């Protein structure tokens, strides 16, 4: 959460900072701010709320601010202190010469604040970050060297941080550092950029250096120096950034979420490309380094993830247990890290994450790695912290996802689990060849079926209007579609703020059924297969309690129209593959309800795309 950007060079910094913040807005949108240096004086501009408020303020002073060829900027997802202007970054010190932006949490900020207040520092915010501004200022007063001041400050701060710092007395210089929060340096011609993430700078440069933990970089228009916290100079490793700027356009759609939902057929094609070449050929997963012996000796698989990625992981569990005969546990990363987990070198730990930067999942995989487990990462960001720390990798190739509500990355993760499960089953010879071929055949047909679902979206739009004023929603399913019910409910909650819960249909009668009456919509995910009849009976039970019934089904049984107020029909699909198809109408339902209610679809309140705090 929070995004930082910085520029030092020969161009005016203002538009570069604002453009960078625009492309980082998915990381938080509680407030925004920039610090520039105009005619030798550090100036701060800050505004609470959306970035547009900051843009309005800077527009009033555009000519003046545009003179600065250096600047740092910040977009905030509030942790410590309410989302007010006073708590917006950049933060400064008593004399106003230092400006600092921060992503992360300074855990010992209270102790530091007490100490600094005793030294005469006057705090103007409730944030943890302001302590770092005062600390750097006091270290600078001792050393007269900004890099050294930042280095000494990092010795005293605990927690997670990506920091960028400027000082009025140190002309055209940015010092930046990180620990457990992402930060990269973009390299241009007589100019450097710093950013939390690639989209902030991709328009300006494709050459970059990712900072590792405890590295400190000092940037001027013509130089870059990299040291560690013990002051050893380090060599610099550059990388080519993978994206095109065009990926950040809405391409005519009203929201990124709608665009991303519509990209899903192509996402499936991309994920399969080069990995599933023919039905009678084995799956190719080059970056998965698990040989026959390792797989034979595996005693279990643990999958750690959060939110939508956790739901993709749950589908993965069904597939791997079904096809590979290996016990799989799926657990939210935030729980996994605070208990004793059992595992060793014969345990495969899979981390699933769209961003590859989710703090809880990073901690979980580090803990598992430390006890000797092989770490496989399934991520949409092959340049992320998780990907870089992985033993094996499945890059899910969904393309950049801007909407905070994950859609196409979910489908890409789920498809990756089909490929992984088949891959393991082929190596272990744990599944029937014809069963694997059936799944492969269905995978190849999926994009067309997804296109068919998307071409009937008006039907879902009507359903959304009908139910948009419901206060609560229940989603029921069984088996491999239970995660679909959870994911459908999560989508609705996060963008429409309607209370929605996913239940296994069989659990309804053990408590939740008490909530049912004529005001409660129950959406049954009724895909043909092993549990179809069971879910149908559970739906009858709900109907008998007067719930408003909606079916999502690939059955053409006309009798369903008697039981259900609305029947959303899907193309027929093999039950094992059905989660991929069934989630799309639920994404659309959530989208259209939120849109109908006038919610901020792409940037729902209180959320951020990349959750980099524990
Ligand atoms: O980047 P990650 O996949 O690790 O993120 C995990 C969750 O924060 C994320 O899935 C979140 O639940 C999304 N808002 C879901 O739409």
């Amino acid at each position: 959460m929070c995004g930082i950007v910085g520029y030092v060079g020969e161009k005016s910094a203002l538009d570069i900072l604002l453009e960078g913040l625009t492309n980082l807005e998915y990381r938080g949108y509680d407030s925004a701010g920039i610090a520039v240096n105009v005619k030798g004086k550090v100036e701060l501009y800050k505004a609470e709320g959306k970035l547009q408020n900051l843009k309005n303020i800077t527009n009033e002073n555009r000519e003046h601010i545009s003179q600065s060829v250096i600047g740092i900027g910040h977009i905030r997802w509030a942790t410590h202190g309410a989302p007010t202007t006073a708590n917006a970054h950049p933060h400064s010190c008593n004399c106003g010469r230092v400006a600092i932006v921060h992503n992360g949490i300074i855990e010992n900020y209270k102790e530091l604040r007490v100490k600094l207040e005793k030294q005469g520092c006057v705090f103007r915010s409730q944030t943890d970050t302001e302590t770092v501004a005062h600390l750097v200022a006091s270290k600078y007063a001792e050393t007269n060297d900004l890099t050294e001041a930042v280095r000494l400050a990092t010795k005293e701060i605990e927690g997670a941080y990506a920091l960028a710092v400027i000082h009025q007395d140190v002309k055209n210089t940015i010092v930046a550092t990180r620990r457990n929060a992402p930060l990269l340096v973009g390299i241009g011609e007589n100019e450097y950029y710093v950013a939390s993430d690639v989209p902030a700078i991709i328009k300006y440069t494709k050459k970059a250096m990712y900072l590792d933990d405890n590295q400190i970089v000092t940037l001027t228009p013509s130089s870059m120096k990299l040291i560690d916290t013990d002051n050893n100079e380090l060599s610099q490793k550059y990388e080519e950034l993978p994206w095109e700027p065009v990926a950040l356009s809405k391409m005519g759609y009203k929201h990124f979420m709608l665009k991303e939902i519509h990209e899903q057929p192509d996402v499936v094609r991309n994920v399969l490309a080069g990995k599933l070449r023919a039905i009678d050929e084995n799956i190719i997963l080059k970056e998965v380094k698990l040989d026959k012996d390792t797989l034979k000796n595996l005693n279990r698989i643990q999958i750690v993830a959060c939110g939508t990625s956790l739901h993709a992981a749950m589908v993965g569990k069904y597939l791997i247990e079904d096809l590979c005969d290996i016990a799989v546990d799926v657990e939210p990363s935030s729980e996994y890290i605070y208990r004793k987990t059992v595992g060793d070198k014969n345990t495969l730990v899979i981390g699933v994450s769209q961003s590859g930067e989710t703090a809880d999942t990073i901690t979980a995989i580090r803990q598992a790695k430390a006890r000797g487990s092989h770490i496989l990462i399934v991520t949409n960001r092959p340049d992320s912290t998780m990907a870089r720390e992985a033993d094996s990798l499945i890059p899910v190739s969904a393309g950049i996802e801007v909407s905070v509500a994950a859609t196409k990355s979910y489908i890409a993760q789920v498809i990756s689990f089909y490929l992984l499960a088949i891959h393991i089953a082929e190596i272990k010879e744990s599944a029937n060849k014809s069963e694997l071929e059936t799944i492969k055949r269905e995978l190849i047909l999926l994009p067309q079926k997804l296109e068919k679902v998307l071409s009937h979206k008006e039907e879902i739009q009507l359903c959304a209007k009908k139910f948009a004023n419901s206060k609560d929603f229940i989603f029921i399913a069984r088996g491999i579609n239970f995660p679909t019910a959870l994911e459908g409910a999560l989508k609705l909650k996060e963008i429409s703020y309607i209370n929605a819960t996913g239940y296994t249909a069989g659990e309804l009668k053990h408590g939740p059924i008490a909530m049912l009456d004529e005001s409660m919509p129950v959406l049954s995910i009724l895909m043909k297969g092993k549990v179809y009849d069971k879910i149908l009976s559970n739906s009858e039970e709900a109907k008998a309690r007067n719930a408003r019934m909606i079916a999502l089904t690939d059955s053409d049984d006309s009798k369903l129209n008697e039981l259900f107020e609305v029947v959303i029909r899907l193309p027929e699909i093999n039950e094992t593959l059905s989660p991929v198809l069934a989630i799309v109408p639920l994404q659309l339902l959530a989208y259209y309800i939120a849109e109908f209610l006038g919610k901020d679809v792409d940037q729902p309140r209180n959320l951020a795309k990349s959750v980099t705090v524990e």
Side-chain angles (χ1 to χ4, degrees):
M1 355 278 274
C2 297
I4 68 179
V5 63
Y7 173 77
V8 59
E10 294 169 346
K11 297 180 197 137
S12 168
L14 177 61
D15 286 332
I16 295 169
L17 297 178
L18 293 178
E19 167 102 22
L21 293 179
T22 304
N23 292 332
L24 290 180
E25 222 184 347
Y26 69 87
R27 299 177 74 90
Y29 27 81
D30 288 336
S31 66
I34 59 167
V36 289
N37 187 324
V38 182
K39 294 188 181 142
K41 199 171 174 308
V42 165
E43 295 178 2
L44 308 185
Y45 297 87
K46 315 204 259 190
E48 72 178 66
K50 290 281 176 77
L51 179 60
Q52 189 55 46
N53 299 342
L54 175 70
K55 287 182 178 170
N56 295 344
I57 291 174
T58 52
N59 267 341
E60 286 166 18
N61 300 280
R62 170 161 280 280
E63 214 174 302
H64 174 77
I65 304 170
S66 295
Q67 296 174 72
S68 179
V69 290
I70 181 171
I72 53 176
H74 187 268
I75 193 97
R76 181 167 187 244
W77 185 85
T79 58
H80 294 63
T84 59
T85 305
N87 289 330
H89 300 212
H91 288 285
S92 191
C93 54
N94 284 12
C95 67
R97 292 181 134 79
V98 167
I100 196 159
V101 288
H102 166 221
N103 166 33
I105 290 178
I106 306 300
E107 282 164 5
N108 60 336
Y109 82 102
K110 283 193 181 142
E111 298 91 294
L112 286 172
R113 184 168 172 148
V114 170
K115 197 169 117 188
L116 289 159
E117 278 175 336
K118 279 190 191 143
Q119 291 167 13
C121 296
V122 178
F123 280 74
R124 297 180 189 88
S125 77
Q126 286 89 47
T127 63
D128 51 333
T129 304
E130 196 184 342
T131 54
V132 186
H134 290 288
L135 193 59
V136 169
S138 88
K139 301 291 178 200
Y140 184 81
E142 288 164 22
T143 60
N144 224 13
D145 179 328
L146 187 57
T147 307
E148 184 61 359
V150 171
R151 190 183 77 82
L152 293 175
T154 62
K155 299 270 180 195
E156 291 185 34
I157 55 183
E158 288 164 17
Y161 53 80
L163 294 164
V165 186
I166 60 172
H167 194 295
Q168 187 162 295
D169 300 346
V170 189
K171 215 177 152 219
N172 290 351
T173 304
I174 297 177
V175 180
T177 184
R178 65 157 266 178
R179 188 190 296 157
N180 291 334
L183 196 64
L184 74 152
V185 175
I187 297 136
E189 191 91 353
N190 292 329
E191 60 184 11
Y192 289 95
Y193 303 80
V194 285
S196 299
D197 198 359
V198 176
I201 58 170
I202 191 69
K203 185 172 161 191
Y204 305 104
T205 181
K206 289 198 106 189
K207 191 175 170 191
M209 180 185 77
Y210 285 89
L211 249 62
D212 284 332
D213 280 351
N214 302 315
Q215 293 186 335
I216 302 167
V217 70
T218 305
L219 305 167
T220 72
S222 56
S223 68
M224 167 157 83
K225 188 176 174 194
L226 187 68
I227 59 166
D228 63 19
T229 47
D230 293 326
N231 223 348
N232 300 306
E233 189 156 354
L234 304 169
S235 61
Q236 299 159 12
K237 286 183 220 127
Y238 305 129
E239 288 179 34
E240 190 75 7
L241 295 175
W243 289 333
E244 298 301 327
V246 71
L248 299 175
S249 146
K250 282 190 204 144
M251 310 289 272
Y253 287 96
K254 188 168 176 194
H255 295 101
F256 278 108
M257 181 177 177
L258 194 58
K259 173 193 158 225
E260 287 158 6
I261 290 173
H262 279 84
E263 283 172 351
Q264 293 180 116
D266 281 339
V267 166
V268 175
R269 289 185 185 103
N270 282 347
V271 182
L272 296 180
K275 302 183 184 99
L276 168 51
R277 294 203 303 205
I279 289 161
D280 56 358
E281 280 183 32
N282 280 2
I283 296 290
I284 302 166
L285 286 179
K286 280 195 208 123
E287 285 131 315
V288 175
K289 315 253 184 296
L290 292 162
D291 56 28
K292 202 167 185 169
D293 286 341
T294 316
L295 285 172
K296 257 198 211 147
N297 291 329
L298 277 190
N299 50 23
R300 70 175 79 190
I301 295 179
Q302 294 168 341
I303 317 184
V304 287
C306 304
T308 289
S309 299
L310 182 70
H311 301 149
M314 291 170 76
V315 178
K317 172 185 164 80
Y318 280 93
L319 296 170
I320 296 170
E321 290 197 337
D322 202 29
L323 299 177
C324 314
D325 280 336
I326 306 175
V328 182
D329 298 318
V330 179
E331 193 167 349
S333 316
S334 52
E335 288 300 309
Y336 186 90
I337 58 184
Y338 288 113
R339 67 181 187 86
K340 183 183 166 206
T341 53
V342 181
D344 55 21
K345 64 178 178 25
N346 294 325
T347 310
L348 170 66
V349 175
I350 306 179
V352 191
S353 174
Q354 187 286 129
S355 62
E357 298 294 348
T358 298
D360 290 320
T361 308
I362 292 176
T363 307
I365 61 158
R366 283 181 182 162
Q367 285 180 3
K369 195 168 188 165
R371 73 173 188 218
S373 298
H374 184 100
I375 306 297
L376 166 62
I377 295 295
V378 179
T379 183
N380 196 29
R381 295 295 303 271
D383 53 339
S384 62
T385 303
M386 278 183 223
R388 281 180 284 127
E389 295 187 13
D391 298 312
S392 287
L393 180 68
I394 305 186
V396 305
S397 328
I400 185 161
E401 188 175 65
V402 176
S403 172
V404 166
T407 54
K408 62 175 181 169
S409 63
Y410 174 74
I411 288 233
Q413 289 165 344
V414 170
I415 297 291
S416 300
F417 272 112
Y418 287 97
L419 295 175
L420 179 66
I422 301 171
H423 177 65
I424 296 176
E426 282 172 344
I427 296 176
K428 279 189 72 186
E429 295 171 0
S430 55
N432 183 301
K433 201 162 182 264
S434 72
E435 187 186 358
L436 297 181
E437 286 185 357
T438 304
I439 300 174
K440 287 189 211 173
R441 188 172 300 110
E442 286 279 351
L443 278 170
I444 291 168
L445 294 175
L446 263 175
Q448 278 163 284
K449 293 189 180 177
L450 286 167
E451 273 157 5
K452 209 163 171 194
V453 175
L454 289 166
S455 70
H456 288 105
K457 57 179 187 282
E458 289 72 23
E459 197 186 322
I460 297 155
Q461 210 165 356
L462 286 178
C463 177
K465 270 193 189 152
K466 209 168 186 174
F467 290 91
N469 291 316
S470 307
K471 296 265 170 299
D472 304 281
F473 241 94
I474 283 178
F475 292 73
I476 56 169
R478 292 179 93 136
I480 197 162
N481 273 304
F482 172 49
T484 314
L486 296 178
E487 177 58 12
L490 177 64
K491 286 286 91 73
L492 188 58
K493 272 184 278 212
E494 63 180 340
I495 61 169
S496 72
Y497 320 144
I498 292 173
N499 177 36
T501 313
Y503 293 106
T504 59
E507 273 295 298
L508 207 57
K509 57 187 172 295
H510 297 289
I513 203 164
M515 295 187 292
L516 302 189
D517 62 19
E518 52 290 332
S519 68
M520 179 71 87
V522 174
L523 189 147
S524 303
I525 303 170
L526 199 56
M527 304 304 286
K528 286 199 291 188
K530 287 193 282 287
V531 285
Y532 179 89
D533 289 335
K534 298 286 172 204
I535 305 174
L536 200 55
S537 305
N538 300 137
S539 304
E540 297 271 9
E541 290 155 13
K543 170 84 171 176
R545 273 79 186 177
N546 295 323
R548 296 183 70 186
M549 303 301 296
I550 308 166
L552 178 60
T553 185
D554 63 341
S555 159
D556 55 8
D557 182 354
S558 59
K559 284 199 212 103
L560 294 179
N561 296 330
E562 291 161 26
L563 175 57
F564 294 94
E565 191 176 332
V566 175
V567 180
I568 302 168
R569 298 209 190 254
L570 295 170
E572 198 171 4
I573 183 140
N574 174 297
E575 190 183 19
T576 307
L577 276 295
S578 63
V580 186
L581 227 48
I583 191 55
V584 179
L586 303 186
Q587 296 167 340
L588 286 168
L589 184 69
Y591 173 80
Y592 286 122
I593 289 180
E595 205 220 356
F596 184 77
L597 296 175
K599 304 295 184 206
D600 192 342
V601 172
D602 284 333
Q603 295 184 336
R605 70 183 183 202
N606 304 338
L607 296 179
K609 184 87 184 147
S610 188
V611 185
T612 56
V613 293
E614 276 184 17

